[in-house]
């Protein structure tokens, strides 16, 4: 599913002493099947954009198009939109409330009015995709680890078979293993099912896994390109309060001391090879 954002603006508490311009004439296009990471410091507009994309709030100005359809057009069904665009919140385990993992994953498909056979099929396929075992389907979701709970929440979205999934910092408060499991699941979802993925994250190494990185600053796009293109702009990132991935930061720091290292080595092995080549030259 393609997304087009056109001249999008949103202001909190307009006309009051607490007025905040979260987004200002934002323009952005995302192709169908693309995996886009969106980064930005606190207050850059990331969370507002998430809510706008799923129709939870309405823009003051501008338009959002999914596959060419304007969601603000008269008669457009937001209920239909939410069947096409899945949203995973920052703490998706807060979305879990059923007695068993099975029932939690089945909740969305059941509310779509599907048959019991179709619901069962979708639940088991979604669970298998995220690595939830058949035995775990029968246990309480609250007996699982943090990473497993996140994967159950993602499975609940997958079971609704959306064409786009928007994730708002889905690895928040997870340990490194849990973060890796969730990001790996998101990557597979994009590669194997062709689902458009929009990932909001404050972890630069997670954004580097995307095909494309968009940097937001003060409600506008500050940078947009491949991970290597964006993260090599270290001075720009520092200027808006962000850091590049650790490998790029290391090379940049060494360059400040007079070395000449490339700033596009996101993979630790590539970075190590660049350092080795420098030492052996």
């Amino acid at each position: 599913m393609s997304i087009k954002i056109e001249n999008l603006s949103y202001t909190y508490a307009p006309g009051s002493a607490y007025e905040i311009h979260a987004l200002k004439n934002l323009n952005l296009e995302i192709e169908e099947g693309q995996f886009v990471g969106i980064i930005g410091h606190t207050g850059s507009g990331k969370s507002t954009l998430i809510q706008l994309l799923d129709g939870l709030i309405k823009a003051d100005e501008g338009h959002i198009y999914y596959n060419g359809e304007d969601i603000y057009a008269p008669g457009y069904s937001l209920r239909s939109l939410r069947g096409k665009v899945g949203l995973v919140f920052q703490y998706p385990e807060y979305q879990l409330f059923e007695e068993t993992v099975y029932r939690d994953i089945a909740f969305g498909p059941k509310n779509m009015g599907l048959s019991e056979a179709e619901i069962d099929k979708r639940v088991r396929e979604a669970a298998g995709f995220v690595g939830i075992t058949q035995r775990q389907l029968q246990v309480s979701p609250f007996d699982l680890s943090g990473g497993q709970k996140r994967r159950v929440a993602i499975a609940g979205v997958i079971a609704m078979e959306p064409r786009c999934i928007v994730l708002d910092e889905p690895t928040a408060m997870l340990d490194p293993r849990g973060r890796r499991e969730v990001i790996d699941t998101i990557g597979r979802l994009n590669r194997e099912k062709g689902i458009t993925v929009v990932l909001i994250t404050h972890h630069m190494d997670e954004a580097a896994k995307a095909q494309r990185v968009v940097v937001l600053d003060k409600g506008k796009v500050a940078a947009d390109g491949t991970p290597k293109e964006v993260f090599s702009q270290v001075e720009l990132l520092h200027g808006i309060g962000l850091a590049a991935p650790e490998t790029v930061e290391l090379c940049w720091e060494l360059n400040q001391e007079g070395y000449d290292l490339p700033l596009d080595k996101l993979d630790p092995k590539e970075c190590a090879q660049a350092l080795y080549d420098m030492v052996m030259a």
Side-chain angles (χ1 to χ4, degrees):
M1 173 174 280
S2 64
I3 306 170
K4 182 179 181 180
I5 297 167
E6 187 177 80
N7 300 320
L8 204 65
S9 295
Y10 189 84
T11 300
Y12 290 98
S16 75
Y18 303 100
E19 181 175 280
I20 298 174
H21 297 285
L23 296 176
K24 303 174 185 177
N25 296 317
L26 180 70
N27 290 281
L28 185 65
E29 291 191 40
I30 297 173
E31 296 177 3
E32 183 173 1
Q34 203 168 42
F35 180 0
V36 178
I38 298 181
I39 60 175
H41 57 76
T42 301
S44 62
K46 304 188 307 295
S47 295
T48 301
L49 179 58
I50 285 283
Q51 296 178 71
L52 288 165
L53 285 174
D54 200 50
L56 297 176
I57 57 177
K58 184 177 180 181
D60 299 324
E61 296 179 8
H63 299 271
I64 300 175
Y65 301 89
Y66 282 102
N67 285 350
E69 292 186 83
D70 186 350
I71 71 170
Y72 296 143
Y76 188 90
S77 170
L78 287 179
R79 182 184 179 89
S80 171
L81 172 68
R82 291 168 188 149
K84 301 172 186 174
V85 181
L87 177 60
V88 178
F89 291 99
Q90 187 173 20
Y91 300 102
E93 59 266 39
Y94 294 171
Q95 297 171 244
L96 307 179
F97 57 90
E98 291 282 6
E99 294 178 357
T100 66
V101 170
Y102 183 100
R103 292 180 62 175
D104 248 314
I105 298 174
F107 182 80
K110 185 175 181 180
N111 279 276
M112 294 170 67
L114 302 176
S115 69
E116 289 298 324
E118 180 63 19
I119 292 171
D120 184 71
K121 172 177 172 290
R122 291 194 183 197
V123 168
R124 297 187 185 280
E125 286 182 352
F129 187 86
V130 302
I132 298 298
T133 67
Q134 297 300 306
R135 182 188 65 79
Q136 288 171 325
L137 284 175
Q138 306 309 319
V139 306
S140 167
F142 305 106
D143 290 337
L144 303 178
S145 69
Q148 289 170 331
K149 288 177 183 175
R150 301 285 166 96
R151 284 186 280 143
V152 169
I154 293 172
V157 174
I158 294 173
M160 297 175 70
E161 297 188 353
R163 296 312 306 153
C164 174
I165 292 185
V166 182
L167 305 105
D168 185 8
E169 300 195 21
T171 65
M173 302 301 290
L174 292 182
D175 59 27
R177 178 179 178 180
R179 284 180 51 207
R180 186 171 59 252
E181 289 175 348
V182 170
I183 293 300
D184 287 349
T185 298
I186 294 168
R188 287 183 52 235
L189 189 62
N190 171 255
R191 292 191 306 273
E192 297 178 19
K193 291 185 176 292
I195 293 176
T196 305
V197 172
V198 180
L199 170 68
I200 304 291
T201 180
H202 66 275
H203 292 290
M204 300 303 106
D205 58 329
E206 293 179 1
K209 301 287 187 184
Q211 298 166 347
R212 175 183 170 197
V213 176
V214 175
V215 182
L216 293 185
D217 180 44
K218 298 177 183 177
K220 295 184 177 182
V221 175
D224 183 0
T226 66
K228 289 188 176 183
E229 290 170 344
V230 169
F231 289 127
S232 63
Q233 302 177 61
V234 180
E235 286 83 1
L236 181 148
L237 295 172
H238 287 179
I240 59 178
L242 298 175
E246 292 180 354
T247 53
V248 176
E249 289 286 347
L250 173 61
C251 291
W252 184 82
E253 290 285 353
L254 288 171
N255 286 351
Q256 304 314 296
E257 300 298 323
Y259 294 96
D260 185 23
L261 288 162
L263 297 179
D264 62 353
K265 304 304 179 187
L266 302 178
D267 183 82
K269 291 182 179 179
E270 290 183 350
C271 180
Q273 184 64 52
L275 293 171
Y276 175 82
D277 292 342
M278 177 191 72
V279 171
M280 299 302 294

